[in-house]
Amino acid sequence: MGRRQDPLESLLGPLEQDVMDVVWSLKDATVRDVHEELVKDRKIAYTTVMTTMARLASKGLLRRDTTGLAHRYRPTVSQDTYLRSALSRVLGWALDRYPEPAASYLMEVVDSSDELDLDELRAAVDRRRAEEA
């Protein structure tokens, strides 16, 4: 029986997430554009940003346009789509592999959150069940 990949391994690292956040915000960016945004909050080398963006392109999250003098990068997926997919993979894996603690944790989150609209949550569950049927 083969072991499925741990979805936590497929999540973005902190720098990758920061780079993607900038590219999602700009919609179209060069390495210089992203570097200029990131150095506002931290010291980071231009080459580190360049390597990170190349890695994100190889993972399929960025599309690199090499037609111009400076390579331009665009996201291949929206931020919302990526986040929903990542959450779905991680939560699905946790509920499948560790059902009791994962479900218990989710219930604690729902119980402790005043911001969650339970009607919206129920509607989302109903939509998901309808899709699976």
Side-chain angles (χ1 to χ4, degrees), residues 63-121:
R63 180 179 307 116
R64 184 178 11 209
D65 178 357
T66 59
T67 57
L69 197 53
H71 294 184
R72 302 205 66 81
Y73 292 84
R74 292 173 193 85
T76 60
V77 65
S78 72
Q79 186 176 31
D80 185 64
T81 299
Y82 170 77
L83 293 174
R84 286 177 182 272
S85 174
L87 283 170
S88 175
R89 285 191 316 269
V90 171
L91 290 176
W93 171 82
L95 287 166
D96 182 51
R97 187 145 180 156
Y98 308 104
E100 288 183 32
S104 176
Y105 172 75
L106 290 173
M107 291 305 298
E108 287 174 23
V109 169
V110 169
D111 286 344
S112 67
S113 177
D114 293 334
E115 296 178 24
L116 278 177
D117 182 337
L118 292 180
D119 290 333
E120 287 181 23
L121 189 56

Side-chain angles (χ1 to χ4, degrees), residues 19-109:
V19 167
M20 286 303 300
D21 286 343
V22 171
V23 178
W24 277 317
S25 170
L26 297 175
K27 312 258 188 292
D28 178 276
T30 63
V31 173
R32 183 164 312 286
D33 296 333
V34 175
H35 182 256
E36 286 175 359
E37 285 298 313
L38 293 178
V39 296
K40 291 176 182 177
D41 297 322
R42 68 162 74 101
K43 185 175 181 180
I44 186 167
Y46 177 90
T47 53
T48 301
V49 176
M50 182 174 62
T51 301
T52 301
M53 291 177 75
R55 187 171 50 248
L56 288 165
S58 71
K59 289 182 175 185
L61 290 170
L62 293 177
R63 180 179 307 116
R64 184 178 11 209
D65 178 357
T66 59
T67 57
L69 197 53
H71 294 184
R72 302 205 66 81
Y73 292 84
R74 292 173 193 85
T76 60
V77 65
S78 72
Q79 186 176 31
D80 185 64
T81 299
Y82 170 77
L83 293 174
R84 286 177 182 272
S85 174
L87 283 170
S88 175
R89 285 191 316 269
V90 171
L91 290 176
W93 171 82
L95 287 166
D96 182 51
R97 187 145 180 156
Y98 308 104
E100 288 183 32
S104 176
Y105 172 75
L106 290 173
M107 291 305 298
E108 287 174 23
V109 169

